[in-house]
Amino acid sequence: MDIIFLGGLEIETIIGIYDWERTTKQTVVLDIEMAFDITKAAETDDIEYTLDYKKVSKRIISFVEDSQFLLVEKLIVEIANILLTEFAIPWLKITLNKKGAIRGASDVGIVIERGQK
């Protein structure tokens, strides 16, 4: 299976359990790997037969910007559900980085995989 990826997708959102986090947008950074068979797209040179990463990124940016979850766990699972159902992706891996969430750590986050390659 081929992998289409988005790396370093930075999105501002309300995320967190503390009072100040409920009023101040923070940046989450997403790295997304998505399994997709690109054979027909490569043969035809037609975007109709591939995963349009521009559409994927616009959908995820819109969703995350409009969300207001307490936990990054909820946010990352909802992102995965959108990708799996709306874009018919058989497998994905998402890394969500909530930079600066822990003093002294440059990166804090979650990595999930869903589906099968």
Side-chain angles (χ1 to χ4, degrees), residues 7-11 27-31 94-99:
L9 186 60
E10 295 186 14
I11 309 169
T27 301
V28 294
V29 182
L30 299 172
D31 294 316
I94 304 173
T95 301
L96 186 153
N97 187 336
K98 187 178 173 188
K99 289 189 170 288

Side-chain angles (χ1 to χ4, degrees), residues 65-103:
E65 285 179 340
D66 292 342
S67 71
Q68 293 194 16
F69 296 112
L70 297 172
L71 300 176
V72 292
E73 290 85 347
K74 176 70 171 173
L75 176 58
I76 199 170
V77 167
E78 292 300 321
I79 293 168
N81 289 339
I82 288 169
L83 293 172
L84 291 168
T85 57
E86 294 183 19
F87 295 94
I89 297 167
W91 171 90
L92 57 75
K93 178 179 177 182
I94 304 173
T95 301
L96 186 153
N97 187 336
K98 187 178 173 188
K99 289 189 170 288
I102 301 293
R103 186 174 23 178

Side-chain angles (χ1 to χ4, degrees), residues 12-115:
E12 297 286 318
T13 190
I14 298 292
I15 186 78
I17 60 171
Y18 300 109
D19 290 342
W20 71 267
E21 292 179 303
R22 305 312 304 154
T23 59
T24 304
K25 288 193 173 190
Q26 298 180 73
T27 301
V28 294
V29 182
L30 299 172
D31 294 316
I32 305 171
E33 296 179 22
M34 301 162 284
F36 202 86
D37 184 353
I38 65 165
T39 305
K40 192 163 184 178
E43 290 171 354
T44 63
D45 203 22
D46 188 337
I47 195 168
E48 177 183 340
Y49 300 109
T50 194
L51 180 61
D52 186 339
Y53 49 80
K54 184 174 182 178
K55 286 182 183 177
V56 169
S57 65
K58 287 178 115 179
R59 176 65 174 104
I60 296 307
I61 290 167
S62 175
F63 174 76
V64 174
E65 285 179 340
D66 292 342
S67 71
Q68 293 194 16
F69 296 112
L70 297 172
L71 300 176
V72 292
E73 290 85 347
K74 176 70 171 173
L75 176 58
I76 199 170
V77 167
E78 292 300 321
I79 293 168
N81 289 339
I82 288 169
L83 293 172
L84 291 168
T85 57
E86 294 183 19
F87 295 94
I89 297 167
W91 171 90
L92 57 75
K93 178 179 177 182
I94 304 173
T95 301
L96 186 153
N97 187 336
K98 187 178 173 188
K99 289 189 170 288
I102 301 293
R103 186 174 23 178
S106 61
D107 298 310
V108 175
I110 299 177
V111 178
I112 65 168
E113 289 187 44
R114 297 291 187 268

